[in-house]
Amino acid sequence: MFEKRPLPLRLFTYSIEDVIYCNQLFAKLREALVDNGYAELCDSLCSLRQPESFLPPPSPAHVPPTRLVTALVDARHVLCLEHLVAKTLSLPSIAYAVSSDDPPDISKRLARQAWLSSMGPVPKAYALEVNQKMKRQIRLRDTLLYSAAVPSCATALRSLSVAFVASPLSATHRLVAVDLLRSPLSTVADEAFLPSLQYLRQNAEMADERSPSIEDVYPPLSPTGPIAPAYHVSLSLRPDGGRVAVGVHLVLATPHISLPLSEVNVVLGPVVKNNRGALILLDDTHVYTLQGNSAEAPLTFPSHQVEVHKVLSVGA
């Protein structure tokens, strides 16, 4: 439609406006990416459409990555290497050099080697995550990112810091757990690792948006007051084949945390080996319960086993 010369007025106008407004839109979007700390990640993702990244390995235009990076993460944290002098953040990495003669799992082997060479021997408690659960996430320019999840980076930091003493990097770095949702990555991250850290932060933000707290699902009706110690309860509901799947998460709150009170009672009672927490949602006339597939099935509350040192009952 654009082959005719001279261009019809309507196509000429379309082309002019496309150039004018697209350039202005690019400037606005670029400014928003910089303000939100995602400019480098956007550039890296756009590079995936270039021939050297997009075309498969048999193509002569294909250029393989040159570095493999590994990360150990929880819901919102990542374990990083912090330079003792520059205070910049990096991740365990290794040069990525493979050939067609290498075994199919060469990338996973290199991911394990990257961790061992940077972090030292793997403690037994985290051997499964490092040796078997490292999964490829994405290619970002010349970097291949692998990651594995642990329940808590803060807990892992203690034992991994002991093992890190055996790493040659311990002379110039220390191991830290970085809050992906609060840390100013654009100013503290090593430039070579910034897109990888931004990608992990994006995943943490998306997971955080999908996990509403009980205050989001059932707004508190009572004034906020300190409860110490207490349990912070998160509830998630999703459709599942005509039924509602319920997720209940109980977290022990430290004494300095103030939790809002609402019409939610957390009841803890002893079981064979530990304790069980039940979530009860109610109003003036109704209470939320679960029931099996038949009308004769007993009514129950959403509950989950928890390990605690003291049995508490917290309510409005």
Side-chain angles (χ1 to χ4, degrees), residues 91-281:
L91 294 168
S93 63
I94 195 172
Y96 187 81
V98 301
S99 67
S100 57
D101 299 328
D102 289 320
D105 63 342
I106 182 61
S107 295
K108 209 162 190 178
R109 294 186 185 185
L110 286 174
R112 292 194 293 268
Q113 186 58 38
W115 183 272
L116 293 174
S117 61
S118 300
M119 308 293 286
V122 184
K124 185 177 180 181
Y126 301 99
L128 182 64
E129 285 78 6
V130 174
N131 295 329
Q132 299 183 29
K133 291 190 175 182
M134 280 285 178
K135 295 183 179 179
R136 174 174 173 170
Q137 295 297 324
I138 195 171
R139 176 178 176 175
L140 299 169
R141 290 194 182 276
D142 62 344
T143 298
L144 203 57
L145 175 62
Y146 273 68
S147 70
V150 294
S152 169
C153 282
T155 302
L157 181 63
R158 290 190 285 271
S159 58
L160 291 172
S161 294
V162 175
F164 182 62
V165 176
S167 168
L169 292 180
S170 62
T172 56
H173 294 75
R174 70 178 182 127
L175 191 58
V176 294
V178 176
D179 190 331
L180 290 165
L181 302 184
R182 294 186 178 181
S183 177
L185 298 179
S186 297
T187 58
V188 299
D190 186 300
E191 183 179 350
F193 299 91
L194 182 55
S196 298
L197 289 170
Q198 290 175 344
Y199 178 82
L200 296 173
R201 187 180 76 176
Q202 181 195 40
N203 288 347
E205 287 181 342
M206 293 174 64
D208 187 62
E209 292 173 357
R210 291 194 299 263
S211 302
S213 65
I214 188 63
E215 292 82 12
D216 298 325
V217 178
Y218 199 84
L221 302 179
S222 302
T224 300
I227 303 175
Y231 284 92
H232 189 191
V233 184
S234 294
L235 171 69
S236 60
L237 305 174
R238 63 179 176 82
D240 185 11
R243 295 180 295 179
V244 177
V246 180
V248 182
H249 308 278
L250 304 178
V251 180
L252 182 63
T254 55
H256 67 276
I257 296 179
S258 297
L259 298 178
L261 297 174
S262 64
E263 291 188 359
V264 176
N265 294 323
V266 180
V267 183
L268 303 180
V271 294
V272 176
K273 293 183 178 180
N274 49 26
N275 299 287
R276 193 166 196 88
L279 180 65
I280 304 175
L281 304 180

Side-chain angles (χ1 to χ4, degrees), residues 2-69:
F2 287 91
E3 295 175 354
K4 183 179 179 181
R5 291 294 187 271
L7 282 175
L9 179 60
R10 62 182 183 87
L11 294 181
F12 179 81
T13 304
Y14 175 89
S15 302
I16 287 290
E17 291 180 347
D18 189 42
V19 173
I20 294 175
Y21 296 124
C22 280
N23 287 343
Q24 294 177 1
L25 180 60
F26 170 81
K28 290 291 184 181
L29 292 176
R30 184 70 183 181
E31 181 181 355
L33 286 169
V34 172
D35 292 342
N36 288 277
Y38 282 122
E40 293 78 9
L41 176 61
C42 179
D43 292 341
S44 297
L45 292 175
C46 290
S47 71
L48 298 180
R49 304 303 300 175
Q50 297 173 358
E52 57 266 27
S53 300
F54 178 74
L55 295 177
S59 170
H62 174 77
V63 177
T66 58
R67 176 174 48 229
L68 188 145
V69 170

